[in-house]
Amino acid sequence: MMSENHNLYTALPDTELAAHFRDAGKVLSDEAMVLDNVIRTLLATEGRVSNKSIILCLVMALESTHDQAEADVLRRTLEIVVGYTPDDA
């Protein structure tokens, strides 16, 4: 399954963000799972992935969750994506 995740990261236009998650291993396993789900959803619904679309999905998920642990993982994932997103993206 891990190699499947690595292949999914090729859909990310931001190669540095993809490398960050690919190289993080188990340290970011929860965040990687969230990102994988977001990428799959975006590819299915929009046919493409951008940092902006990832950020919007994560914000919508954060606004709709009532689970504190899930919110923490979503927030950490969002912070990582935002950190790799240029201001003009």
Side-chain angles (χ1 to χ4, degrees):
M1 177 153 173
M2 194 55 114
S3 65
E4 182 181 326
N5 292 351
H6 287 210
N7 292 337
L8 196 57
Y9 296 141
T10 61
L12 287 170
D14 188 326
T15 55
E16 289 182 18
L17 177 61
H20 180 76
F21 274 93
R22 192 173 20 254
D23 298 342
K26 293 186 183 228
V27 174
L28 293 178
S29 61
D30 291 342
E31 293 82 354
M33 195 178 325
V34 167
L35 184 62
D36 292 349
N37 290 334
V38 168
I39 292 171
R40 288 176 199 278
T41 299
L42 289 170
L43 287 174
T45 59
E46 299 179 16
R48 62 183 209 89
V49 178
S50 69
N51 284 22
K52 182 178 179 179
S53 61
I54 293 170
I55 291 167
L56 291 173
C57 278
L58 291 170
V59 167
M60 288 189 311
L62 255 173
E63 290 175 344
S64 64
T65 189
H66 299 289
D67 181 298
Q68 187 59 48
E70 181 183 0
D72 290 343
V73 174
L74 288 166
R75 193 173 298 107
R76 286 193 305 267
T77 307
L78 179 61
E79 288 170 356
I80 293 167
V81 175
V82 167
Y84 276 91
T85 304
D87 290 336
D88 59 351

